[in-house]
Amino acid sequence: VQVSEIGEFGLIKLLTQEFGIAYPPARGTPAPEGLEVGIGDDAVVTSKREGALIWTTDTMVEGNHFTPESTSWRDVGWKALAVNLSDIAAMGGVPHLALVTLTLPPDFETDDALELYRGLHDAANAFDVTLGGGDIVRSPVFSITVALSGWALEAGGPAALLCRDAAKPGDVVAVTGQLGAAAGGVRLIVQGPDFDAPGHPESESLLCGAQHRPQPRVALGQAAVRAGLRCGMDVSDGLIQDLGHIASASGVALHIEAARVPVSNDLRVVFPGDALAMALTGGEDYELILVGPEDVMDNYIGETEKQVTVIGRAEDGEANVTVVDEYGKAMTFERRGWDHLAET
Amino acid sequence: VQVSEIGEFGLIKLLTQEFGIAYPPARGTPAPEGLEVGIGDDAVVTSKREGALIWTTDTMVEGNHFTPESTSWRDVGWKALAVNLSDIAAMGGVPHLALVTLTLPPDFETDDALELYRGLHDAANAFDVTLGGGDIVRSPVFSITVALSGWALEAGGPAALLCRDAAKPGDVVAVTGQLGAAAGGVRLIVQGPDFDAPGHPESESLLCGAQHRPQPRVALGQAAVRAGLRCGMDVSDGLIQDLGHIASASGVALHIEAARVPVSNDLRVVFPGDALAMALTGGEDYELILVGPEDVMDNYIGETEKQVTVIGRAEDGEANVTVVDEYGKAMTFERRGWDHLAET
């Protein structure tokens, strides 16, 4: 069944039924937990809260961010919420409520819409997010836009956040997890595996999984704030390019040692020659960059059971990023990351 | 200059410069008023607040909701925010922060992007909304998605809101302003003026203006809550269809007298034969429907200096909407309003 056959209200009814929500709401139906007014009114209303609010939004467009041939609709739903969760994680916040906007071609299949929503619910359940409705409109191109809010943790007063402008000379620079797996996944999806080389089906599958189902570092972001860290961001466009944002916002030079960068083990197996460059410049890892005093970072790393690796240091000097190899020689790369509008 | 030539970061820089915002933010630059963290970090953070939050989102897609041939980019920007403001108005809330997502074709002109943002700022300034960044991505089709939050007024305790499920038998039904002007504007824009009929340039211009620059009823919505009204919504898809949502959510029959419906004066001048039907079923007026006890409504209407008109009554009975003519005879219409996905 195509969405144009059942119409906007029919589609909303189908999607809400699947997840046990009464739509349109009948008189006296209680709103879902945490909401004063649920889906079906002019707007959704969340219960009374207090604090500093965090807001972010991110969009995925078919043919640009993914193709249905290589990504399941359920994974598209997961990723659409996950990339927004990563932005809340990158502020050290607690995610709260998501609004979902779909632009759908008239021949979009309702089964695919259901799968998409299952993926959204997977991520919402995994990270305790309330899905609060949104908008569905007709368009020649499929896109999904999620707007996500969260709350800042408080350290006994003002909002405690991970910002890009809080790096200071002498701070150490660290990253969570391993880098490059998502870039490896893209390369496998776009080019296919290298048929001249021996296959590594397990590693290849993990790389594609990293691309399709990124795991936002929500808990590690909050733990960083609790540990006293105040500078960080997520790795979405490529490590070097993203570090450049911290360097320019904070007015510090960032000195990175390539040998210390945690490169994905699976990436090393599948693309041994290019793994380091892919880890440094490939996007969509959704790990966190964290910057702070060495003692604070050491405590944090201990608490996280070494899920975090120090890769360099912030120094006085011109705001830029230098990457050196194991001999201390500056490395250069063809590109530093992604720009979403420039011709590639 | 096309956006692909200056890239995502170049475009953000251009847009922020135009409105006096430092981007990327330099260390120590204070965030704009009301924000802890402004544009240029992973997310925007609003200062600490307390209350019940209202959230809504609405999208406009080129070729579906407007065409650049007939609507200026500045008006597109205004309307994209205004339709969301209307949803906050329809809950009786106070608008707060907007996130803006653009999907842009690579050949989109930066001058058009600037005009679009001028329109967004026009509406943000008129209704005291903070523009808090968003996302810009590449797509074959232009679209603009606004996610808008607001705060509920409080009547000394729980959130005080205008909901669709709060109409009771015996209540009167009222609407703000006049209806049908926006539908008249669409008809002029799509079909052009009727060259056989005498022209009415001033009225025609006002109808097109109603379509291009809708005025959300933010103050009237808040005044309704303060006056004690608790049921309402905005007229976005067509009066009869929208009344149907209140009837089904509240479980009441709504009885409307066509002769009492305030039809746009300009619409009567330009399309005398169809004015009533267009006022009853045309969408995008962004006036408010309000339902409540007669005495409460009377007080409210007095306070608003008669910007509000009673058009009917809620009764016990099957949840539906009946419209009667001046002789009490039930009227029927070819269509009741808009569905955004169904084939038309």
Side-chain angles (χ1 to χ4, degrees):
Chain A
V1 182
Q2 300 183 342
V3 294
S4 58
E5 295 171 55
I6 61 171
E8 179 186 6
F9 297 112
L11 180 59
I12 295 172
K13 193 159 187 167
L14 190 74
L15 294 174
T16 47
Q17 265 172 354
E18 170 80 10
F19 301 103
I21 299 163
Y23 179 85
R27 178 163 203 143
T29 311
E33 199 192 325
L35 297 181
E36 295 281 322
V37 178
I39 188 171
D41 214 304
D42 293 284
V44 65
V45 182
T46 52
S47 306
K48 199 167 158 176
R49 293 277 287 264
E50 185 185 347
L53 272 158
I54 307 173
W55 318 72
T56 190
T57 185
D58 251 315
T59 298
M60 291 171 67
V61 180
E62 179 179 337
N64 181 1
H65 297 87
F66 73 97
T67 63
E69 291 71 37
S70 55
T71 309
S72 75
W73 287 108
R74 191 158 184 160
D75 284 346
V76 172
W78 170 280
K79 191 166 175 177
L81 185 50
V83 298
N84 281 282
L85 283 161
S86 182
D87 282 326
I88 301 291
M91 303 301 285
V94 181
H96 180 203
L97 184 125
L99 300 176
V100 178
T101 298
L102 303 181
T103 71
L104 299 181
D107 64 354
F108 197 82
E109 291 289 334
T110 54
D111 282 349
D112 293 338
L114 277 168
E115 275 294 288
L116 182 82
Y117 261 80
R118 289 187 189 110
L120 282 165
H121 274 260
D122 292 344
N125 291 338
F127 294 94
D128 202 15
V129 168
T130 303
L131 291 177
D135 195 18
I136 302 179
V137 300
R138 179 202 287 236
S139 164
V141 183
F142 171 91
S143 73
I144 177 167
T145 301
V146 174
L148 180 65
S149 72
W151 296 86
L153 294 176
E154 287 177 32
L161 298 160
L162 300 172
C163 293
R164 297 182 181 187
D165 63 357
K168 294 189 180 65
D171 282 352
V172 294
V173 178
V175 293
T176 62
Q178 296 190 325
L179 298 174
V186 172
R187 190 148 145 185
L188 285 168
I189 292 161
V190 174
Q191 301 181 3
D194 181 354
F195 291 109
D196 293 339
H200 303 280
E202 198 180 328
S203 287
E204 287 169 7
S205 161
L206 287 167
L207 295 183
C208 292
Q211 169 64 25
H212 287 145
R213 287 232 163 192
Q215 302 293 322
R217 294 298 201 171
V218 176
L220 284 177
Q222 291 171 26
V225 164
R226 287 207 188 86
L229 293 168
R230 290 295 178 268
C231 181
M233 69 179 293
D234 67 336
V235 183
S236 57
D237 292 339
L239 178 67
I240 300 179
Q241 178 169 312
D242 288 332
L243 285 168
H245 294 308
I246 290 180
S248 66
S250 297
V252 295
L254 297 178
H255 187 83
I256 306 301
E257 296 173 53
R260 301 178 76 174
V261 171
V263 179
S264 154
N265 296 329
D266 297 301
L267 188 67
R268 286 194 196 279
V269 167
V270 178
F271 298 110
D274 297 336
L276 177 62
M278 290 167 81
L280 290 169
T281 64
E284 302 205 302
D285 285 315
Y286 300 106
E287 297 292 347
L288 299 182
I289 299 168
L290 295 162
V291 186
E294 193 160 11
D295 55 338
V296 177
M297 189 69 77
D298 282 347
N299 284 339
Y300 171 65
I301 292 175
E303 281 169 20
T304 65
E305 296 175 342
K306 305 198 179 169
Q307 292 181 71
V308 179
T309 310
V310 172
I311 60 169
R313 194 171 280 278
E315 295 170 354
D316 252 328
E318 204 184 329
N320 64 18
V321 182
T322 315
V323 184
V324 298
D325 66 16
E326 54 199 306
Y327 309 106
K329 189 164 164 290
M331 301 171 73
T332 56
F333 299 91
E334 270 179 58
R335 56 177 202 80
R336 296 160 69 90
W338 294 98
D339 186 302
H340 296 281
L341 284 176
E343 298 291 355
T344 47
Chain B
V1 182
Q2 301 182 343
V3 295
S4 58
E5 295 172 55
I6 61 172
E8 180 186 5
F9 297 111
L11 181 59
I12 295 172
K13 193 159 187 167
L14 190 74
L15 294 174
T16 47
Q17 266 173 353
E18 171 79 8
F19 301 104
I21 299 162
Y23 180 86
R27 180 164 200 140
T29 310
E33 199 191 325
L35 297 181
E36 294 281 321
V37 178
I39 188 172
D41 213 305
D42 293 284
V44 66
V45 182
T46 53
S47 306
K48 201 167 158 174
R49 294 275 288 264
E50 186 186 346
L53 272 158
I54 307 172
W55 317 72
T56 190
T57 185
D58 251 314
T59 298
M60 290 170 66
V61 180
E62 179 179 336
N64 181 1
H65 297 85
F66 74 97
T67 63
E69 291 71 37
S70 56
T71 309
S72 74
W73 287 107
R74 191 158 183 159
D75 284 346
V76 172
W78 171 280
K79 190 166 176 177
L81 185 50
V83 298
N84 281 282
L85 283 161
S86 182
D87 282 325
I88 301 290
M91 303 300 285
V94 181
H96 180 205
L97 185 125
L99 300 176
V100 178
T101 298
L102 303 180
T103 71
L104 300 180
D107 63 354
F108 196 81
E109 292 289 332
T110 54
D111 282 350
D112 294 339
L114 277 168
E115 276 293 289
L116 182 83
Y117 261 80
R118 288 187 191 110
L120 283 165
H121 274 260
D122 292 345
N125 291 339
F127 294 94
D128 203 15
V129 167
T130 303
L131 291 176
D135 195 17
I136 302 179
V137 299
R138 180 201 287 237
S139 165
V141 183
F142 171 91
S143 73
I144 177 168
T145 301
V146 173
L148 180 65
S149 73
W151 296 86
L153 294 176
E154 288 177 32
L161 298 160
L162 300 172
C163 294
R164 298 182 181 187
D165 63 358
K168 295 190 179 67
D171 282 352
V172 294
V173 178
V175 293
T176 62
Q178 297 190 325
L179 297 174
V186 172
R187 189 147 145 188
L188 285 169
I189 292 162
V190 173
Q191 302 181 1
D194 181 353
F195 292 109
D196 293 338
H200 303 280
E202 199 180 330
S203 287
E204 288 169 6
S205 162
L206 287 167
L207 295 183
C208 292
Q211 168 64 25
H212 287 145
R213 287 231 163 193
Q215 303 293 322
R217 293 300 199 171
V218 176
L220 283 176
Q222 292 170 26
V225 164
R226 287 206 189 88
L229 293 168
R230 291 294 178 270
C231 180
M233 70 179 295
D234 67 337
V235 183
S236 57
D237 293 339
L239 178 67
I240 300 178
Q241 179 169 313
D242 288 332
L243 285 167
H245 294 308
I246 290 180
S248 66
S250 297
V252 295
L254 297 179
H255 187 82
I256 305 301
E257 295 172 53
R260 301 178 76 174
V261 171
V263 179
S264 156
N265 296 329
D266 297 301
L267 188 68
R268 286 195 195 279
V269 168
V270 178
F271 299 109
D274 297 336
L276 178 61
M278 290 167 83
L280 289 169
T281 63
E284 301 207 301
D285 285 316
Y286 300 106
E287 296 293 347
L288 299 182
I289 299 168
L290 296 162
V291 186
E294 193 159 12
D295 56 337
V296 178
M297 189 69 77
D298 282 346
N299 285 339
Y300 171 64
I301 292 174
E303 282 169 19
T304 64
E305 296 176 343
K306 305 197 179 169
Q307 292 181 71
V308 179
T309 310
V310 171
I311 60 170
R313 195 171 281 277
E315 294 170 355
D316 252 329
E318 204 183 330
N320 63 17
V321 182
T322 315
V323 184
V324 298
D325 66 15
E326 55 199 305
Y327 309 106
K329 187 163 166 289
M331 301 170 73
T332 55
F333 299 91
E334 270 179 57
R335 57 178 199 80
R336 296 160 68 90
W338 294 98
D339 186 302
H340 296 281
L341 285 176
E343 297 291 354
T344 48

